[in-house]
Amino acid sequence: MSKGEETRQAILDEAFSMASCVGVGGLSIGALAERTHMSKSGLFAHFGSKEELQLAVLRESQQRFADIVLRPAFRQPRGLTRLRAIVLNWLDWTREACLPGGCVIMAAAAEFDDQPGPLREEVKNGLLAMRRTLAETIAKAIETGELRPDTDIDQFAFELEGIYQVTQQSRRLLDDPDADRRALIAFDRLVRDNAVLKEKE
Amino acid sequence: MSKGEETRQAILDEAFSMASCVGVGGLSIGALAERTHMSKSGLFAHFGSKEELQLAVLRESQQRFADIVLRPAFRQPRGLTRLRAIVLNWLDWTREACLPGGCVIMAAAAEFDDQPGPLREEVKNGLLAMRRTLAETIAKAIETGELRPDTDIDQFAFELEGIYQVTQQSRRLLDDPDADRRALIAFDRLVRDNAVLKEKE
DNA sequence: GACAATATAGTACGACCGTTCGTATTAGTC
DNA sequence: GACTAATACGAACGGTCGTACTATATTGTC
């Protein structure tokens, strides 16, 4: 790893945690330079434009998300076990990734949803990929016979996303201590409604 | 209505639709002055500070929300009918209120959730009020015998919020044409799981 | 219509923004 | 150790930001 890549990564590390607090749009090169003990121009040279920096932060976020949330969950056996692992890691990932200001990607989604450009596309693709990953995992839980074959996979993923979003909001804005518990209740209900019928107990 | 109040309202109208696109934090006095054909200082005098302007926009949003979403729904009979009316109006309100850039309040919620100050408090109180309204409406649906007495009211409201949030995101960022349909499916499932058991059909 | 109160405009300010440029320093290679 | 390319710095630019102050125009009241 050359010196350049090294500092570039160091900048991204700082930018990542900074973006958690002020949003990807709220990043400023001056402030970032200060926190990395660099000159504005020296830092700037690594990216060429602010937008390129923002894109790099988004990509960094997605990679960390994959490392922290998805990869460990995919070591679990396919089916509901794995799906549940994703949900648990997901709910926990802002803590795990040291994101003092919440999930960078979700914040960016709200920020750029009506501002056409590369940033919007990047966020959109990231979220679509997440939906796809969820869908595949759900499909495997059908294969294992845990969920009913007529389960609406995309609907399932859709509702899962909703649970995640409201949990974040409840935790961060409303300071609701029950948010995580509620998220799991909602998840269990979602699973139960799509599970194959067991013997009546 | 004095001249002052009149122009103040005109400014707020413009600021409201502007905030829909760039967010409450993205409002700028210069740009707003241009769009209202006023001088920066003339406009500024109506609010005294940018934060005061932002607060006014948030209050304006809440009032419009009440007018467009809640008030009409409360003309429906209490119970599930009214609850469903709220949901329908809610899903529709960004169109109804001419919000080209989506729900101002939700965007502000994501924007200010980690930035202490009056703006955060205003958004927080607004969302808490919404949860309370939902809870009351759900409670009435229990009274009418449509929902089970052991329905977890706050859980119900929690999940409803989640449905709304993911719908907004799916519509606006992912350009998903099925978002509204999915929202209603999720709502119906939520109702069904809490409904009093009917004769087996 | 005079007068006070209110409302608007004009100008200027200091701070920060992203970006450019020329130059100094440092790292990697022979 | 010399030479080159990569890397970092400092200063400056044009712009926009929110805000303060002063002066002019407009409004509402007697």
Side-chain angles (χ1 to χ4, degrees), chain B residues 153-167:
Chain B
I153 295 179
D154 290 331
Q155 177 76 26
F156 198 115
F158 176 89
E159 299 200 29
L160 220 39
E161 275 267 354
I163 294 171
Y164 177 67
Q165 287 187 50
V166 69
T167 306

Side-chain angles (χ1 to χ4, degrees), chain A residues 36-99:
Chain A
T36 50
H37 308 289
M38 290 184 68
S39 65
K40 266 170 63 175
S41 52
L43 187 150
F44 184 83
H46 282 274
F47 301 94
S49 77
K50 182 179 180 182
E51 195 174 58
E52 221 33 75
L53 164 67
Q54 293 173 307
L55 278 172
V57 170
L58 285 178
R59 293 196 199 100
E60 176 78 17
S61 305
Q62 287 177 247
Q63 195 184 319
R64 294 200 188 196
F65 185 85
D67 288 343
I68 293 175
V69 176
L70 300 180
R71 213 180 302 279
F74 270 80
R75 283 198 287 269
Q76 299 288 323
R78 58 216 283 272
L80 277 187
T81 311
R82 182 180 295 171
L83 183 60
R84 183 167 254 272
I86 290 184
V87 170
L88 291 176
N89 291 349
W90 199 5
L91 289 172
D92 228 51
W93 105 284
T94 54
R95 279 186 278 265
E96 201 67 34
C98 295
L99 284 168

Side-chain angles (χ1 to χ4, degrees), chain B residues 76-88:
Chain B
Q76 299 289 322
R78 58 216 284 272
L80 278 187
T81 310
R82 182 181 295 172
L83 183 59
R84 182 166 254 272
I86 289 184
V87 170
L88 291 177

Side-chain angles (χ1 to χ4, degrees), chain B residues 1 25 28 47 70 79 98 102 120 125 129 145 151 158 165 194-195 197:
Chain B
M1 202 182 195
S28 104
F47 301 94
L70 301 180
C98 295
R120 193 190 114 108
N125 290 334
T151 299
F158 176 89
Q165 287 187 50
N194 288 283
L197 299 170

